[in-house]
Amino acid sequence: MVVLVAGSVIASVIVVSNTVNHTSHVRSPTMTLGAISPLNGSAYPGGDLPDLVGNDPVVNNMYDFSCLMDLNAGLEGVYLNITVSKIGGQTISSEDVTLYLCDYSASNDPLDWSWRSVPLVVNGSILLGVCDPSWDNTLSNDGECNLLNAFRIVYHDIADFTISVTATTAPPVIPISLLQVIQQRGSIIVGTQVPYPPFENINATTDELEGIDIEIMEYVAAKLNVTIQWTPMAFDPLFAAVQTGQIDCAISAITITAERDLMNDFSMPYYVANQAVLVRDDSAISTMNDLNSSDLVTYMGSTGQWWVDENLNPQSHTPLSDVPAAVLGVENGVYDAFIVDTPVANKYANDSSYNLKVAFVIYTLVSYGILIPEDEPELKAAIDSAIADMIMDGTLDEILLRWLA
């Protein structure tokens, strides 16, 4: 373990624990590496910052440090595990310090290096951070004493801190939030079902995703300072995919319900929707009673399907997982009406390439939210904060006007 006490350099060591079977010639459970070393910052982004010195820390002081190693084998894909605490176990906050790891991945040229922020989460009286193998952590052996990695710490609070760094070949057994994983990865994996215009669709010219939900999620991702990895899939599998960790979250005009909230969680609502009855232009359907004597189609897993099952006794009811197929079914007379979210119905009714209209609206007043895993309060808080900002700064209204006008 490397132990740094702010204001001094302690000749301690870093321990690399070989906790899993490994192809290297490691003969003991641990390998002792060289002592902590103050770093000459001249080759790193930002120039020659002060190294660890013998003065007490002051607010916003920055220090660079590294660890030297002396290995008889190479380890690829290690986890760098960092803990930060205050001397005496004082209460610590994630706002007290900022920790960075030097990112060498671009090239061997120091001009291409950058400092990458290591997310730190509070766990009792310590802050925890992990740089997983995706950060290109490799301990190489070329017969010399090699640099483990370069760190930079910025103190935002006047206090004495202890920083511990270990490298392991297996994931650390410490609580890591999904938000921290997302931020370390640099991207959020988002599931959605397309097409479901105007919420999600594929642009015919660019072949890119577009729509209300797409723009909302792009705003949220920007607030989290990550990119988006879109994962299109059918609607029903979205729920299991979030629950099992296949995706980080899902946005797809998903209605917030108590039943869905049992297995997953939701962000705060970002849209309130009703159901509309989409029919052919020559249809005589105009009342609820008319629907009871009709052949209806709904979107599988949607509020429309649930509402028909709970409130109507139609001649037939066919849930489909394909929105365009349901629309064409009404257009071609296979079904009498499509019960679907109002914006979706309006999108097709206003499209002159179809002979369709909205017969009437069913006021369900359901709310849409972003589907997230249960027990991930940090991710929920971050997404809720982004949605609240979107509402306050007018971005959400702009998105809705652009797509619903």
Side-chain angles (χ1 to χ4, degrees), residues 286-313:
S286 62
T287 68
M288 296 287 190
N289 286 335
D290 293 336
L291 295 178
N292 283 322
S293 58
S294 302
D295 296 311
L296 304 181
V297 62
T298 58
Y299 181 42
M300 186 176 293
S302 69
T303 299
Q305 179 186 356
W306 164 82
W307 190 88
V308 170
D309 288 339
E310 292 290 321
N311 296 278
L312 297 178
N313 185 27

Side-chain angles (χ1 to χ4, degrees), residues 53-130:
V53 294
N55 299 322
D56 290 334
V58 296
V59 173
N60 294 326
N61 260 10
M62 289 189 287
Y63 300 103
D64 294 347
F65 65 94
S66 63
C67 305
L68 299 179
M69 64 179 183
D70 195 1
L71 293 179
N72 63 354
L75 293 178
E76 294 186 359
V78 297
Y79 294 81
L80 297 180
N81 315 305
I82 303 101
T83 64
V84 182
S85 61
K86 289 184 177 179
I87 300 297
Q90 302 174 50
T91 301
I92 195 166
S93 163
S94 58
E95 298 180 355
D96 289 343
V97 298
T98 305
L99 183 68
Y100 299 92
L101 181 71
C102 194
D103 184 357
Y104 311 94
S105 61
S107 76
N108 291 325
D109 186 346
L111 294 177
D112 295 325
W113 297 348
S114 62
W115 290 106
R116 186 172 178 183
S117 177
V118 179
L120 297 172
V121 296
V122 178
N123 183 31
S125 60
I126 63 174
L127 294 175
L128 299 174
V130 176

Side-chain angles (χ1 to χ4, degrees), residues 44-385:
Y44 293 88
D48 192 5
L49 289 178
D51 300 317
L52 291 170
V53 294
N55 299 322
D56 290 334
V58 296
V59 173
N60 294 326
N61 260 10
M62 289 189 287
Y63 300 103
D64 294 347
F65 65 94
S66 63
C67 305
L68 299 179
M69 64 179 183
D70 195 1
L71 293 179
N72 63 354
L75 293 178
E76 294 186 359
V78 297
Y79 294 81
L80 297 180
N81 315 305
I82 303 101
T83 64
V84 182
S85 61
K86 289 184 177 179
I87 300 297
Q90 302 174 50
T91 301
I92 195 166
S93 163
S94 58
E95 298 180 355
D96 289 343
V97 298
T98 305
L99 183 68
Y100 299 92
L101 181 71
C102 194
D103 184 357
Y104 311 94
S105 61
S107 76
N108 291 325
D109 186 346
L111 294 177
D112 295 325
W113 297 348
S114 62
W115 290 106
R116 186 172 178 183
S117 177
V118 179
L120 297 172
V121 296
V122 178
N123 183 31
S125 60
I126 63 174
L127 294 175
L128 299 174
V130 176
C131 306
D132 66 30
S134 69
W135 290 49
D136 294 326
N137 306 318
T138 298
L139 308 188
S140 61
N141 175 32
D142 60 5
E144 299 179 358
C145 197
N146 300 308
L147 183 70
L148 169 60
N149 228 314
F151 293 91
R152 171 170 293 173
I153 188 164
V154 182
Y155 298 103
H156 306 297
D157 185 28
I158 299 177
D160 291 324
F161 294 86
T162 298
I163 306 170
S164 303
V165 183
T166 61
T168 59
T169 55
V173 186
I174 57 176
I176 299 297
S177 71
L178 179 56
L179 177 61
Q180 185 178 12
V181 170
I182 290 167
Q183 291 177 326
Q184 288 187 2
R185 187 198 302 137
S187 63
I188 184 168
I189 304 171
V190 183
T192 192
Q193 189 277 333
V194 288
Y196 197 69
F199 289 93
E200 34 271 323
N201 204 3
I202 298 177
N203 186 287
T205 302
T206 65
D207 203 35
E208 298 288 334
L209 288 172
E210 64 178 12
I212 295 172
D213 284 344
I214 307 306
E215 293 193 18
I216 288 173
M217 198 66 227
E218 287 172 346
Y219 184 101
V220 171
K223 287 290 186 177
L224 300 182
N225 197 29
V226 298
T227 59
I228 302 176
Q229 297 181 38
W230 289 106
T231 304
M233 62 178 65
F235 186 77
D236 273 353
L238 288 172
F239 301 92
V242 169
Q243 186 180 357
T244 59
Q246 179 183 349
I247 55 179
D248 298 324
C249 66
I251 186 166
S252 197
I254 302 174
T255 301
I256 300 172
T257 68
E259 182 180 1
R260 290 170 176 171
D261 201 31
L262 290 176
M263 304 304 294
N264 287 298
D265 204 352
F266 282 94
S267 69
M268 65 182 291
Y270 63 83
Y271 186 77
V272 177
N274 296 302
Q275 298 297 298
V277 181
L278 186 67
V279 299
R280 291 183 301 280
D281 283 336
D282 59 359
S283 173
I285 292 176
S286 62
T287 68
M288 296 287 190
N289 286 335
D290 293 336
L291 295 178
N292 283 322
S293 58
S294 302
D295 296 311
L296 304 181
V297 62
T298 58
Y299 181 42
M300 186 176 293
S302 69
T303 299
Q305 179 186 356
W306 164 82
W307 190 88
V308 170
D309 288 339
E310 292 290 321
N311 296 278
L312 297 178
N313 185 27
Q315 184 168 298
S316 70
H317 175 204
T318 306
L320 295 179
S321 59
D322 188 332
V323 171
V327 173
L328 288 175
V330 175
E331 174 88 352
N332 297 329
V334 179
Y335 312 109
D336 297 317
F338 182 20
I339 313 301
V340 68
D341 293 341
T342 301
V344 179
N346 288 337
K347 181 74 173 178
Y348 286 103
N350 294 330
D351 189 334
S352 60
S353 61
Y354 295 94
N355 298 303
L356 300 171
K357 66 179 180 180
V358 172
F360 59 93
V361 173
I362 302 166
Y363 291 95
T364 54
L365 297 176
V366 296
S367 297
Y368 293 167
I370 297 174
L371 186 71
I372 57 179
E374 189 73 22
D375 299 324
E376 291 292 346
E378 296 87 358
L379 180 60
K380 175 176 169 55
I383 291 177
D384 283 352
S385 176

